[in-house]
């Protein structure tokens, strides 16, 4: 496999004007404002990775028999480039995203992109679209590397051709609510099962969660929380975020990585920061019944969700067909706020980075 390639740079003939870009960055929302460029790299069995380019962002032209449209061989990642106080920019733990991308590809029987090539592609895109990183508090440049089976054929087998791409979106805060988010406990649907693709970051996991998320919205909640597929009692994760619980003795707990939960990079980072503060963290199963009992008794003081998009989000209320309980004061708790601040300060260059998580780009 090729660990490094030279990227051809094709200049954009009609980039967004400075005035229009400034207006877009004033309030970008999340996932709606896209930058001028994209990265593409192709793979063909027997030839390997080749034809690396930074080009103008443009629609794709796909044959109706393109394999991904029929057999869903597709994976993706999400990471951010942050604006630093001196005007520079840095990526947060992109190496961890590169490793997880390879693991996802392995699970989906896809060609594995060398980690250095993943990192190189992200650096190239940020360099091309550096002016799209928002200056406003809470803003960042969200990078979306993804790969899909591009071979044209009909037949159930791993494809022999793949297209890897990176696009970028200028983003603000993921959740607008000033208090904790509300969750709906899904009883009819599960996100993943043992032996399935729960630990891979593939589109199918998110597609299968949408009907449950739709149900949650219909019930007046912000997000869905999934239970395990076997006993339907153990908390797993939200539609796209890991979850933590904070108890009255100061300890914390999060569901263990058992193959059905995505190994979140934000999750791992928060666990390390918490342990540095002397906080006891247990990676153990936690049932929905225990969650309700602990919240009601006061043993559970806080709960929060975490992920690249939302970073850290307090959970204020949990509802279901037969349950309705509040977490703490319904907003962000002391421990949640402290951990979030520690992580965000590192990401934005406001605090030392003893773990080498940030890669300065310029």
């Amino acid at each position: 496999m090729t660990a490094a390639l030279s990227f051809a740079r094709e200049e954009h003939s009609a980039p967004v004007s400075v005035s229009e870009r400034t207006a877009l960055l004033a309030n970008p929302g999340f996932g709606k404002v896209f930058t001028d460029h994209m990265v593409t790299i192709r793979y063909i069995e027997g030839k390997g990775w080749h034809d690396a380019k930074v080009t103008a962002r443009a629609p794709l032209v796909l044959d109706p028999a393109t394999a991904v449209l029929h057999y869903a061989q597709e994976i993706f990642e999400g990471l951010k480039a942050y604006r630093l106080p001196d005007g520079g920019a840095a990526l947060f733990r992109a190496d961890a995203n590169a490793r997880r991308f390879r693991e996802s590809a392995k699970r989906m029987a896809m060609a594995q992109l060398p980690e250095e090539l993943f990192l190189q592609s992200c650096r190239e895109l940020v360099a091309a679209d550096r002016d799209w990183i928002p200056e406003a508090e809470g803003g960042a440049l969200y990078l979306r590397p993804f790969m899909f089976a591009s071979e044209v054929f009909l037949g159930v087998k791993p494809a022999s051709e793949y297209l890897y791409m990176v696009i970028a979106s200028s983003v603000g805060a993921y959740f607008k609510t000033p208090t904790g988010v509300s969750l709906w406990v899904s009883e009819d649907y599960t996100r993943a099962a043992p032996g399935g693709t729960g630990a891979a970051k593939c589109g199918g996991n998110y597609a299968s969660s949408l009907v449950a998320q739709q149900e949650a919205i219909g019930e007046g909640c912000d997000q869905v929380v999934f239970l395990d597929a076997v006993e339907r009692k153990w908390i797993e994760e939200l539609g796209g975020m890991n979850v933590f619980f904070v108890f009255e003795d100061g300890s914390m707990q999060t569901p263990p990585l058992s193959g059905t939960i995505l190994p979140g990079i934000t999750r791992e980072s928060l666990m390390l920061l918490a342990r540095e503060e002397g906080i006891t963290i247990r990676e153990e199963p936690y049932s929905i019944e225990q969650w309700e009992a602990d919240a009601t008794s006061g043993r559970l003081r806080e709960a929060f969700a975490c992920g690249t998009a939302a970073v850290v989000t307090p959970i204020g209320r949990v509802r279901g067909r037969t349950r309705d309980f509040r977490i703490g004061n319904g907003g962000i708790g002391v421990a949640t706020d402290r951990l979030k601040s520690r992580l965000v300060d590192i990401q934005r260059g406001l605090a030392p980075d003893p773990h080498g998580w940030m890669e300065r780009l310029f």
Side-chain angles (χ1 to χ4, degrees):
M1 294 190 295
T2 305
L5 292 174
S6 295
F7 282 73
R9 178 75 177 268
E10 298 179 1
E11 295 300 326
H12 199 303
S13 60
V16 173
S17 68
V18 173
S19 60
E20 184 180 353
R21 184 177 66 232
T22 301
L24 290 169
L25 294 185
N27 185 25
F30 199 96
K32 297 180 179 179
V33 174
F34 295 96
T35 66
D36 288 316
H37 298 88
M38 64 184 186
V39 165
T40 61
I41 310 176
R42 296 189 177 275
Y43 175 91
I44 297 178
E45 193 174 288
K47 183 176 183 179
W49 295 100
H50 64 284
D51 196 21
K53 296 179 181 178
V54 180
T55 66
R57 184 177 179 275
L60 298 177
V61 177
L62 297 178
D63 188 283
T66 300
V68 67
L69 301 177
H70 304 270
Y71 309 110
Q73 269 192 299
E74 180 270 351
I75 58 173
F76 68 96
E77 272 297 328
L79 64 157
K80 288 177 177 176
Y82 293 91
R83 181 70 70 185
L84 301 176
D86 63 2
L91 288 171
F92 175 72
R93 299 200 65 183
D95 57 335
N97 290 96
R99 287 193 297 272
R100 190 169 67 180
F101 195 75
R102 284 196 65 182
E103 289 300 314
S104 293
K106 186 186 302 183
R107 175 61 183 85
M108 302 299 288
M110 302 172 73
Q112 295 174 44
L113 184 76
E115 291 172 24
E116 181 54 38
L117 194 50
F118 178 102
L119 296 173
Q120 190 181 356
S121 68
C122 293
R123 296 172 189 136
E124 293 282 348
L125 187 57
V126 175
D129 287 333
R130 58 188 293 170
D131 294 332
W132 285 89
I133 306 175
E135 301 278 358
E137 182 180 355
L141 187 64
Y142 183 87
L143 303 179
R144 171 51 61 86
F146 63 102
M147 179 169 68
F148 62 88
S150 57
E151 184 181 2
V152 177
F153 78 99
L154 296 179
V156 183
K157 70 174 185 67
S160 61
E161 297 179 16
Y162 296 92
L163 177 61
Y164 168 79
M165 303 182 67
V166 191
I167 57 175
S169 175
S170 305
V171 301
Y174 190 79
F175 288 112
K176 298 295 185 182
T177 176
T179 57
V181 295
S182 57
L183 305 184
W184 178 260
V185 181
S186 178
E187 296 184 19
D188 296 327
Y189 306 102
T190 59
R191 178 186 171 274
T197 60
K201 199 166 178 65
C202 61
N205 292 343
Y206 295 82
S208 66
S209 75
L210 295 179
V211 66
Q213 177 63 25
Q214 191 176 44
E215 181 183 45
I217 297 298
E219 294 290 344
C221 293
D222 300 303
Q223 269 282 333
V224 62
V225 58
F226 288 104
L227 306 179
D228 73 290
V230 179
E231 297 182 72
R232 302 292 184 96
K233 64 180 289 186
W234 304 108
I235 305 300
E236 295 233 307
E237 63 175 88
L238 276 59
M241 292 176 281
N242 297 119
V243 61
F244 281 84
F245 310 97
V246 184
F247 299 93
E248 61 181 350
D249 64 359
S251 68
M252 295 172 55
Q253 188 167 330
T254 189
L257 300 179
S258 57
T260 60
I261 295 174
L262 185 73
I265 294 164
T266 306
R267 172 189 183 273
E268 181 187 25
S269 304
L270 290 168
M271 290 173 64
L272 197 156
L273 293 177
R275 285 176 174 141
E276 286 180 345
E277 294 190 4
I279 297 172
T280 297
I281 296 186
R282 298 178 297 275
E283 293 183 77
E284 298 175 356
Y286 193 55
S287 71
I288 183 61
E289 290 82 7
Q290 194 64 51
W291 191 4
E292 182 172 15
D294 289 344
T296 302
S297 70
R299 177 175 177 260
L300 179 78
R301 296 298 177 84
E302 307 171 35
F304 63 87
C306 65
T308 297
V311 190
V312 174
T313 301
I315 298 169
R317 184 181 179 190
V318 179
R319 294 180 51 226
R321 290 176 186 166
T322 60
R323 65 187 85 250
D324 188 345
F325 59 94
R326 182 171 166 168
I327 310 296
N329 62 9
I332 191 165
V334 174
T336 303
D337 191 40
R338 184 174 67 251
L339 284 175
K340 178 179 181 180
S341 295
R342 281 202 64 195
L343 179 61
V344 170
D345 285 352
I346 292 172
Q347 290 173 331
R348 299 193 176 280
L350 301 172
D353 174 25
H355 306 290
W357 285 344
M358 306 303 294
E359 180 190 349
R360 189 182 183 104
L361 301 178
F362 59 85

